[in-house]
Amino acid sequence: MIFLDLFLAFLLIGLVAFGGGYAVLPLLERMIVLDRGWIAMERFVDMIAISQITPGPIAINGATFIGYQLISREWGVALGILGAATSTIGVVFGPALLIFVVSRFYTRFKDSPVVKAVFRVLRPALVGLIMASVASVASSAVFDVPGVLIVLLALLALWRLKWHPLLVIGACALLGLVVYM
Amino acid sequence: MPISLGRLFLIFLKVGAFTFGGGYAMIPVFERELVKRFKLIAPEDFYDTLVVCQSLPGPIAVNFAVFTGLRLRGKRGALISLLGVVLPSFIFILLISVFLFRYIDVPIVEAMFKGIRLSVVALIFFAGAKLFMSHRSLEGLCIAVMAFALVFTFSLHPVWVVLMAGAYGILSRRAKGGEAP
């Protein structure tokens, strides 16, 4: 049954994850961490970090990570891999099916004023959702003054110095080593 | 002469394996490989496909792979391209989960991850801010603040915010008499 739950949860996540990239995080946090308690908030934040240092879309990385963590905890590595496959197939299933449907009337879809109207409101709403993720990740990751300083330094590096995210993550890992060891 | 399924698989596998920083980072690499190098897609088709892929739910790289595979080699092409783009991140995450993640409680690794979690706060905030700045407006700011408050303060499920934003977009277009965008 847990495999079916896993598949259905990620099927729904895939079908409502508009906007790509980080916009999937509030959905994952709500459905996987808060409602189902399948992984702890701290592991969820680790998952985001690992997604940034491995290739691939964050939704795929997240599905694989969560599917494996949930199943392998009780049933070991082999079934854990099956769990990872279940959630990963679940998250790509809906979008892939939609592409099949939309590709038939693709020219009408791409210039559709309805799609444009939806995204005029959906885009800023997704900004709000992403910022909600920032707030909950921050409340589980920032405990002290050095923490706040490291976040500000990382923002400065991304914004003003235009550092690559991998470089920012590496620098923060080193700062973590210096501050928290 | 249509592209072989094997070559299609390898193109998507390569992009999936070597692009760090999420699905959006893959777009320029797709363009280089599919438009410039192998000339499989005309440039204007590439951007049209991208618009459609961004308007549908799901990871953009996944949508793009399915769409392109379908167009170039039909259903089998879509499946092969999907596999190619998903497999690298699936395997990387599994390897990390199985072999590396058990060391998370070692003090050195834990201190590094404390730093890395802080960089995640900055990375997500930066992504949200960039999305906002790309289409900034007062209305957008109000929508973003409302979406944030609904999800973070009032614990509304993000799915409702996505649905409400879409509905509001359609309704506000109707109210304006369906003007051309």
Side-chain angles (χ1 to χ4, degrees):
Chain A
M1 271 328 269
I2 187 77
F3 281 92
L4 186 65
D5 285 348
L6 193 60
F7 180 80
L8 289 178
F10 276 94
L11 182 71
L12 181 62
I13 288 169
L15 277 172
V16 287
F18 285 91
Y22 290 114
V24 76
L25 293 180
L27 284 165
L28 283 174
E29 185 196 328
R30 174 65 189 235
M31 293 184 58
I32 305 301
V33 183
L34 297 180
D35 287 353
R36 290 171 178 74
W38 282 347
I39 59 169
M41 188 63 198
E42 210 180 35
R43 285 289 167 275
F44 178 70
V45 182
D46 293 341
M47 180 280 287
I48 305 172
I50 287 169
S51 295
Q52 294 304 303
I53 51 181
T54 55
I58 194 162
I60 305 293
N61 295 338
T64 306
F65 183 86
I66 292 161
Y68 179 80
Q69 294 287 322
L70 174 70
I71 303 292
S72 72
R73 211 162 38 207
E74 281 180 48
W75 289 297
V77 173
L79 281 178
I81 293 172
L82 197 63
T86 305
S87 47
T88 308
I89 293 169
V91 85
V92 299
F93 193 81
L97 215 60
L98 276 177
I99 293 279
F100 271 85
V101 176
V102 166
S103 67
R104 288 174 194 274
F105 49 96
Y106 149 74
T107 40
R108 255 192 298 161
F109 185 85
K110 84 178 162 63
D111 297 318
S112 160
V114 176
V115 173
K116 288 206 175 83
V118 165
F119 268 85
R120 193 181 59 84
V121 182
L122 189 52
R123 199 178 297 113
L126 290 175
V127 172
L129 293 186
I130 291 173
M131 291 308 177
S133 273
V134 174
S136 41
V137 169
S139 53
S140 83
V142 188
F143 298 108
D144 47 11
V145 178
V148 176
L149 283 176
I150 292 175
V151 173
L152 291 177
L153 279 175
L155 271 176
L156 194 73
L158 285 166
W159 210 305
R160 305 306 305 186
L161 309 177
K162 310 222 180 298
W163 278 17
H164 192 280
L166 279 178
L167 194 57
V168 176
I169 293 170
C172 285
L174 280 179
L175 282 175
L177 214 51
V178 173
V179 175
Y180 296 111
M181 256 315 266
Chain B
M1 177 87 170
I3 184 170
S4 74
L5 286 173
R7 154 105 351 132
L8 200 58
F9 179 72
L10 284 180
I11 291 177
F12 280 101
L13 189 76
K14 195 177 116 189
V15 178
F18 292 108
T19 317
F20 291 85
Y24 276 100
M26 290 185 181
I27 303 306
V29 193
F30 279 138
E31 188 183 10
R32 198 179 64 214
E33 292 289 313
L34 294 163
V35 180
K36 300 203 173 115
R37 185 149 169 233
F38 291 102
K39 298 196 178 7
L40 292 166
I41 310 175
E44 61 274 18
D45 278 349
F46 180 80
Y47 292 109
D48 285 350
T49 308
L50 218 52
V51 170
V52 174
C53 290
Q54 278 172 316
S55 313
L56 292 170
I60 185 157
V62 169
N63 293 353
F64 184 83
V66 175
F67 207 131
T68 308
L70 188 65
R71 188 133 51 127
L72 294 175
R73 286 301 308 265
K75 281 181 185 148
R76 279 202 293 175
L79 199 63
I80 284 288
S81 310
L82 175 66
L83 263 182
V85 84
V86 168
L87 267 183
S89 55
F90 181 76
I91 291 170
F92 268 105
I93 294 290
L94 271 186
L95 289 176
I96 286 182
S97 299
V98 177
F99 295 109
L100 274 178
F101 218 63
R102 59 183 63 167
Y103 300 109
I104 189 99
D105 293 329
V106 176
I108 283 190
V109 181
E110 204 175 56
M112 275 169 62
F113 261 89
K114 271 193 181 149
I116 290 174
R117 283 182 207 129
L118 296 168
S119 73
V120 169
V121 177
L123 285 169
I124 312 177
F125 178 84
F126 187 59
K130 264 203 303 198
L131 183 63
F132 177 74
M133 295 307 269
S134 68
H135 293 78
R136 58 176 175 270
S137 69
L138 186 61
E139 189 201 23
L141 184 64
C142 295
I143 295 170
V145 169
M146 263 176 6
F148 175 87
L150 284 173
V151 169
F152 189 71
T153 315
F154 300 105
S155 310
L156 190 73
H157 199 299
V159 168
W160 295 117
V161 174
V162 169
L163 293 178
M164 285 191 307
Y168 177 70
I170 293 172
L171 288 176
S172 66
R173 176 175 162 269
R174 288 255 167 81
K176 285 179 199 157
E179 55 173 353

